[in-house]
Amino acid sequence: MSVLPAHAQPVTIQDALGRRVDVPAPPQRVVTIFASNTELVAALGQADRIVGIEAYTRYPPGVLDRPLVGGRLGFSVDAVVAQRPDLLIVTPSRQAAHQLVDPMERLGVPVIVLLSRSVDEVLSNLRLVAQVLGVPAQGERVTGALEARLQKVESRTKGRVPPRVVMITGRLGNGLLLVARPDTYTGDAIVRAGARFALGGKGVVPQVSPEAVLAADPDVLLFAGRQQDLDELIQQSGWRDLKAVLAKKAYTVPRAEFLIPGPRTIDGIERLAARLHPQSGETP
């Protein structure tokens, strides 16, 4: 259950786009656009305030019965308004901010736009959402616990040689691969787990050819997805001879832990660090 503060005060914050957002009272009816924002609210113990989600939300199970306000084809202002929200949390992907911010502001509904360009920014978002919901102390407790876990990972990997890693996050129909890259939230999570990038460059578009991965010949190959898809990939010509494959260091990682910028990413960082840097007695 949500715990309301004894003395609810108006809150004014600045969101990721530099917008001033005035929230007159702790919101009780929140629409969360994108799975990451739903997970932030739920991690604070406030999932019962969520009254609308979008179609790609899969977690936590307890919110999946909430009305859908958008999906692959975009987002419906009418569907959002029908939930009578007193707060909308969005991310500027798939045109969500473009489609929803101005209409909701005209209706007097506060809208917060969040970005997640690093793990630290995700934790800052958690604190910000807690402040807006009127539960800042809970935000500090949850975020502090996550930061303590990250510090343990840092201690685990300190002084270790970081293996050269490629993480494949998707395969395109034209044969190109999507890979995690530096200066992104997913890339930050990989580095925090004690790895370094086998592929150089900081391209804006995360697409590379299979030949580029083969030429990089990483120490560890990571695949965000299903084991059967990884197995199919590494059976192809050229992939079988990769250093990582020959050393049996081609692993899957859960997409939810590395592609949805929320608290579960700390789980992913911990697991990946244990795999990359096993301690004595551990099986990688």
Side-chain angles (χ1 to χ4, degrees), residues 66-149:
R66 310 299 156 86
L68 301 181
V69 300
R72 185 178 300 277
L73 299 180
F75 303 91
S76 168
V77 173
D78 290 341
V80 173
V81 171
Q83 309 315 317
R84 297 178 290 109
D86 46 18
L87 179 68
L88 185 66
I89 306 177
V90 307
T91 298
S93 299
R94 301 207 321 271
Q95 298 297 310
H98 174 73
Q99 293 175 358
L100 296 174
V101 171
D102 287 346
M104 300 310 297
E105 282 186 331
R106 288 197 294 270
L107 293 171
V109 178
V111 182
I112 298 174
V113 181
L114 301 180
L115 290 172
S116 303
R117 294 162 292 192
S118 68
V119 174
D120 282 342
E121 192 163 40
V122 173
L123 298 179
S124 293
N125 289 343
L126 195 55
R127 285 190 168 97
L128 182 66
V129 171
Q131 180 186 358
V132 171
L133 294 181
V135 289
Q138 175 69 354
E140 286 300 320
R141 283 193 294 271
V142 173
T143 308
L146 295 172
E147 289 173 335
R149 290 167 61 189

Side-chain angles (χ1 to χ4, degrees), residues 149 153 156 193 222 251-254 256-258 264-278 282-284:
R149 290 167 61 189
V153 172
R156 179 191 191 107
L222 302 175
Y251 310 122
T252 60
V253 297
E257 293 179 353
F258 285 92
R264 288 192 289 170
T265 295
I266 310 306
D267 299 338
I269 292 172
E270 289 174 330
R271 277 193 271 268
L272 182 55
R275 175 155 267 172
L276 298 178
H277 302 284
E282 291 182 342
T283 301

Side-chain angles (χ1 to χ4, degrees), residues 142-161:
V142 173
T143 308
L146 295 172
E147 289 173 335
R149 290 167 61 189
L150 285 172
Q151 289 173 358
K152 288 184 179 180
V153 172
E154 184 178 352
S155 297
R156 179 191 191 107
T157 60
K158 187 175 182 179
R160 300 291 190 97
V161 176

